[in-house]
Amino acid sequence: MVSFTTEQVHAIRRSRERVARLHAELTRNNLVAWTAGNVSERVPGTTHFVIKPSGVDYDDLTPDNMVLCDLDGNVVEGSMGSDRSPSSDTAAAAYVYRAMPHVGGVVHTHSTYATAWAARQEPIPCVITAMADEFGGEIPVGPFAIIGDDSIGRGIVETLDGHRSRAVLMANHGVFTIGKDARDAVKAAVMCEDVARTVHIARQGGELVPIDPKDIDSLFDRYQNVYGQKPQGGMA
Ligand SMILES: [Zn+2]
C-alpha cells in the first residue's frame, strides 16, 4: 500500500484534472478516432504518473477515472487509485518516464498525416520555419515495435535521446510526443500533425526545399528563448 503526503495528494489531484482536460485537445484538434490516443503526466513531487483509462469514450473521461501508476507501470489501487485498467500504452509511457527524468508528459496518437509518414517510415524533413521553431529539425522515425513489452518505450527513448524533436514517428504505427509537462507534450502532438499535413501538401506541388541547418539552429534557439522555454536540446 503506497502512502502519500498531503502535498502529494493535492499534486495527484491537479494532474488528474489536467490530464482529463487535455484529452479534449486531442479530439478538438482531430488527432484521434474512437478511443485511440492518450495523454499522461508525471505527478510533480512523486514517483508516479497519471494516464487515461483503457477503452473509455473521450466524453466520459473525468479526473476521477484517470489511472495512477508507479514508474514501473503498476496501477495504484485504493483510494488514490482508480478501478479502471490503464491505457494499453502505459508500459511505453512508464519506460519513457524512467529513462528520461526531464520528461513530464507523454502523448500518443495515430493522427492521420503524421501516421501516414510513419506508414512510409519516412522522417518529416524540416522545410518550414514553424518546424524549425518547434522541433529544431526533422521529425525522426522510430523502430517498428509491437505492443506487449517495453520495445515501444525503448524505441521512443532511443530515437529521441539526443534529438531536439519532441515527436517520434513510430514505424507503421503513430506518433509519440514528450514534453516538460502534459500540456507541452499535447502541443507537440498538435504541431506534429500540423507540419506533417503541410509538408505532405507541399510535396504534392513539387520538390521540397530544405532549410539551411544554420538557419534551423537560429530559428530553434530564438523560438525556445522568446517563449521562455527550457531549450529542448537541453533535454538530451
Ligand atoms: Zn498506438
Side-chain angles (χ1 to χ4, degrees):
M1 185 77 186
V2 206
S3 66
F4 295 101
T5 65
T6 309
E7 208 169 301
Q8 288 174 324
V9 168
H10 290 301
I12 291 166
R13 185 71 207 170
R14 286 192 295 272
S15 284
R16 285 182 176 283
E17 288 166 358
R18 272 195 297 272
V19 171
R21 197 174 53 236
L22 281 164
H23 279 93
E25 293 296 328
L26 302 188
T27 50
R28 203 164 67 86
N29 289 281
N30 294 316
L31 301 188
V32 292
W34 200 237
T35 64
N38 54 78
V39 178
S40 67
E41 180 174 88
R42 188 196 298 271
V43 182
T46 73
T47 53
H48 292 75
F49 66 98
V50 165
I51 192 165
K52 176 174 165 283
S54 181
V56 175
D57 285 352
Y58 273 82
D59 286 347
D60 297 332
L61 297 178
T62 65
D64 287 331
N65 63 27
M66 295 298 113
V67 184
L68 182 67
C69 297
D70 67 21
L71 293 186
D72 290 319
N74 301 309
V75 174
V76 174
E77 289 171 355
S79 60
M80 289 310 297
S82 160
D83 56 358
R84 311 281 183 147
S85 307
S87 159
S88 50
D89 295 301
T90 298
Y95 190 98
V96 174
Y97 290 125
R98 285 200 306 277
M100 304 178 106
H102 52 284
V103 168
V106 178
V107 171
H108 174 51
T109 80
H110 303 153
S111 65
T112 306
Y113 283 89
T115 303
W117 289 86
R120 295 193 302 269
Q121 300 194 4
E122 184 179 2
I124 307 174
C126 188
V127 290
I128 43 181
T129 58
M131 231 183 125
D133 290 344
E134 194 67 43
F135 299 103
E138 69 167 24
I139 296 177
V141 174
F144 181 79
I146 301 243
I147 213 158
D149 57 20
D150 62 7
S151 59
I152 295 182
R154 204 166 56 239
I156 297 166
V157 170
E158 282 171 5
T159 310
L160 292 185
D161 200 17
H163 207 292
R164 284 172 175 172
S165 175
R166 281 146 50 239
V168 52
L169 310 172
M170 291 300 283
N172 306 90
H173 179 179
V175 186
F176 282 83
T177 60
I178 57 174
K180 61 185 193 307
D181 52 28
R183 188 177 184 278
D184 190 38
V186 169
K187 182 193 179 199
V190 172
M191 299 310 284
C192 177
E193 178 63 6
D194 187 53
V195 300
R197 183 177 58 219
T198 304
V199 177
H200 171 84
I201 291 169
R203 194 159 68 179
Q204 310 315 302
E207 213 175 309
L208 298 172
V209 181
I211 301 176
D212 188 300
K214 280 201 293 293
D215 292 327
I216 292 176
D217 286 350
S218 65
L219 284 163
F220 182 70
D221 290 343
R222 184 185 157 277
Y223 183 78
Q224 302 299 321
N225 292 325
V226 163
Y227 284 80
Q229 296 173 359
K230 208 170 71 178
Q232 299 301 326
M235 290 178 59

